[in-house]
Amino acid sequence: MSLKVMKFGGTSVATTERLQKVADRIIKAKEAGDQVIVVVSAMGKTTDSLVSMARKVSDRPSKREMDVLLSTGEQVTIALLSMVLIERGCPAVSYTGWQAGIKTEAVHQYARIGSIDTSLLRPELKKGNVVVVAGFQGVTEDGEITTLGRGGSDTSAVALAAAFGAETCEIYTDVTGVFTTDPRYVTRARKLKEISYDEMLELAYLGAGVLNPRAVEYAKNSRIKLVVRSSFSEEKGTVIKEEVSMENPRSVRGLAFEKNVTKVTLLGLPNNVATVSHVFDALADKSVNVDIIVQNVLDEEQTSLSFTIDHELLDDTLDVLHARKKELGFQNLIFESELAKVSIVGSGMASNPGVAAQMFHALARKNIKVKMISTSEIKVSTIIDEEKLLEALNTLHEVFRLAEEESISL
Ligand code: ADP
Ligand code: ASP
Ligand code: MG
């Protein structure tokens, strides 16, 4: 008998009517003879509403209490979905993350899963119950409730699949698979049949919200095949696995983007070996996560340093840098908001030197100014004005012919 892990995201479980549709799928899997673990998210926009309620009562809510609050969302879904299944004659039992033995590190709001005690769910599966587990949550060794970061139910599902030795983890969502880019932004975006872990990982880290990057990382390390497909249609989804069968892969397989980027620049920094480390130590102390970094050495004495952050972190960044202005020795601080990061991703890029140039030409032709650049073997990221984002995505999608089917050319 094989074991299946099926994960349903927020939109898929948004209403009690939709829970019936989700139950249809689960019952079908159960009738095919599989043992089934189901992982669910909070219903619809529940997590967003809980976040905004917290902001109403506190400017900087306690991280511990945020975890206690946000973890309630998924608990509602597990109970309701189990009730629906039982009502329809399919034995089911709900488990919170901590009841399911999902142990995490002691970090609030962005904890990593450390281990899963499978002995807690096994007896239920043996009895023939569908086990409905709350995604996005776990517990520390000390019994503190933790959450796994936004989109973290994907990670719960993959971690459970790995712990229970499932070969595949099915991610049911509101799109029919992984597309060349977000189909809400580019209407010509095309669904990919397959994509490699590495490309998916890069797309996810660079902002493709369809999968949580940590879930992809976990799947890659545990060799779990991921299938992303729609909760609402029978259409075949996208398979994410080690090797994809393309003999002649395109240089660029997908585009990802992030909005709300802010660029901070420190001018007139002393040009000595320790300056940069002091700046980033100060930011790390405040848990400010920095993305793209560019340093310009102006002359023997002076350098300037620019870096990007999520706009939400601007206040913390300004606080810490202004407080340490003397010690860090910079003369001026400027920042620019309403920026976006647009990235092209593809493992074929490593052997195709012209790809970055092609990207810059395409943006220049549309008069889109590139403000910062960062590259790796399989991606090129650029910072542009957020108001140009749609145009940039559609242009790059066209230039790299992403709407066209990839074929094996000999
Ligand atoms: P869920 O609640 O099921 O986890 P998410 O909202 O987290 O769903 O993820 C699905 C959404 O991801 C889609 O509605 C789509 O707008 C967005 N998305 C971003 N990039 C992509 C992509 N490359 N392919 C498909 N969807 C994408
Ligand atoms: N409910 C959480 C969120 O909205 C986790 C998830 O849906 O994966 O981020
Ligand atoms: Mg998600």
Side-chain angles (χ1 to χ4, degrees), residues 192-203:
L192 299 164
K193 284 194 189 79
E194 299 179 330
I195 184 166
S196 67
Y197 291 127
D198 287 334
E199 287 173 319
M200 189 64 237
L201 198 56
E202 201 73 44
L203 282 172

Side-chain angles (χ1 to χ4, degrees), residues 112-161:
R112 271 182 192 275
I113 296 176
S115 65
I116 298 182
D117 179 356
T118 56
S119 70
L120 297 165
L121 299 187
R122 287 225 191 262
E124 298 294 349
L125 292 166
K126 271 216 179 105
K127 277 189 254 167
N129 282 327
V130 169
V131 183
V132 184
V133 182
F136 175 59
Q137 55 177 250
V139 66
T140 68
E141 286 299 334
D142 297 335
E144 290 287 301
I145 294 176
T146 49
T147 60
L148 312 180
R150 297 304 304 265
S153 296
D154 295 338
T155 318
S156 311
V158 180
L160 282 163

Side-chain angles (χ1 to χ4, degrees), residues 7-13 41-42 44-45 150-154 171-185 189-192 200 203 207-212 228-229 231 238 254-257:
K7 180 257 169 180
F8 296 89
T11 321
S12 312
V13 296
S41 293
K45 299 274 174 212
R150 297 304 304 265
S153 296
D154 295 338
I171 308 280
Y172 289 86
T173 183
D174 58 4
V175 277
T176 52
V178 176
F179 283 65
T180 45
T181 190
D182 190 336
R184 290 191 216 192
Y185 285 74
R190 177 176 55 87
K191 190 181 77 185
L192 299 164
M200 189 64 237
L203 282 172
V210 63
L211 277 177
N212 181 294
V228 176
R229 54 182 301 189
S231 294
T238 303
L255 312 175
F257 59 90

Side-chain angles (χ1 to χ4, degrees), residues 9-287:
T11 321
S12 312
V13 296
T15 60
T16 49
E17 289 74 31
R18 288 200 182 156
L19 289 180
Q20 297 289 352
K21 296 263 174 236
V22 166
D24 290 344
R25 284 197 185 266
I26 296 168
I27 291 168
K28 213 162 141 195
K30 198 75 190 56
E31 282 172 356
D34 292 320
Q35 290 188 333
V36 180
I37 297 178
V38 175
V39 176
V40 284
S41 293
M43 294 169 82
K45 299 274 174 212
T46 303
T47 311
D48 290 338
S49 318
L50 293 170
V51 170
S52 53
M53 271 198 264
R55 296 236 166 95
K56 280 196 182 135
V57 298
S58 168
D59 280 345
R60 289 190 189 176
S62 143
K63 292 190 170 192
R64 180 186 187 278
E65 302 315 326
M66 279 304 278
D67 278 350
V68 175
L69 178 70
L70 298 192
S71 61
T72 61
E74 274 65 15
Q75 198 165 330
V76 173
T77 327
I78 54 169
L80 285 174
L81 180 58
S82 301
M83 287 176 200
V84 169
L85 288 165
I86 294 165
E87 195 61 34
R88 292 181 52 178
C90 174
V93 57
S94 66
Y95 271 69
T96 61
W98 38 100
Q99 287 176 317
I102 302 179
K103 287 268 156 54
T104 73
E105 61 180 337
V107 172
H108 285 297
Q109 296 208 275
Y110 199 52
R112 271 182 192 275
I113 296 176
S115 65
I116 298 182
D117 179 356
T118 56
S119 70
L120 297 165
L121 299 187
R122 287 225 191 262
E124 298 294 349
L125 292 166
K126 271 216 179 105
K127 277 189 254 167
N129 282 327
V130 169
V131 183
V132 184
V133 182
F136 175 59
Q137 55 177 250
V139 66
T140 68
E141 286 299 334
D142 297 335
E144 290 287 301
I145 294 176
T146 49
T147 60
L148 312 180
R150 297 304 304 265
S153 296
D154 295 338
T155 318
S156 311
V158 180
L160 282 163
F164 282 86
E167 268 177 35
T168 307
C169 178
E170 296 177 339
I171 308 280
Y172 289 86
T173 183
D174 58 4
V175 277
T176 52
V178 176
F179 283 65
T180 45
T181 190
D182 190 336
R184 290 191 216 192
Y185 285 74
V186 177
T187 46
R188 280 171 56 77
R190 177 176 55 87
K191 190 181 77 185
L192 299 164
K193 284 194 189 79
E194 299 179 330
I195 184 166
S196 67
Y197 291 127
D198 287 334
E199 287 173 319
M200 189 64 237
L201 198 56
E202 201 73 44
L203 282 172
Y205 271 119
L206 293 168
V210 63
L211 277 177
N212 181 294
R214 279 189 178 166
V216 185
E217 202 177 283
Y218 227 111
K220 176 178 153 87
N221 293 338
S222 320
R223 295 281 177 275
I224 305 277
K225 196 163 87 177
L226 287 177
V227 179
V228 176
R229 54 182 301 189
S230 166
S231 294
F232 309 112
S233 85
E234 288 300 322
E235 200 175 316
K236 267 195 178 166
T238 303
V239 179
I240 298 136
K241 55 184 191 165
E242 186 64 48
E243 289 300 330
V244 298
S245 54
M246 228 74 59
E247 279 184 16
N248 216 348
R250 290 261 178 77
S251 307
V252 178
R253 299 211 72 211
L255 312 175
F257 59 90
E258 275 172 39
K259 299 203 282 189
N260 297 319
V261 175
T262 288
K263 174 184 172 191
V264 177
T265 303
L266 298 177
L267 296 163
L269 273 167
N271 184 12
N272 63 48
V273 284
T275 305
V276 177
S277 63
H278 287 157
V279 171
F280 292 112
D281 278 346
L283 293 167
D285 282 350
K286 266 265 184 184
S287 302

Side-chain angles (χ1 to χ4, degrees), residues 202 251 344-352 375-380:
E202 201 73 44
S251 307
I344 55 174
V345 173
S347 40
M349 216 181 272
S351 49
N352 265 321
T375 64
S376 79
E377 283 211 328
I378 67 165
K379 70 120 205 258
V380 181

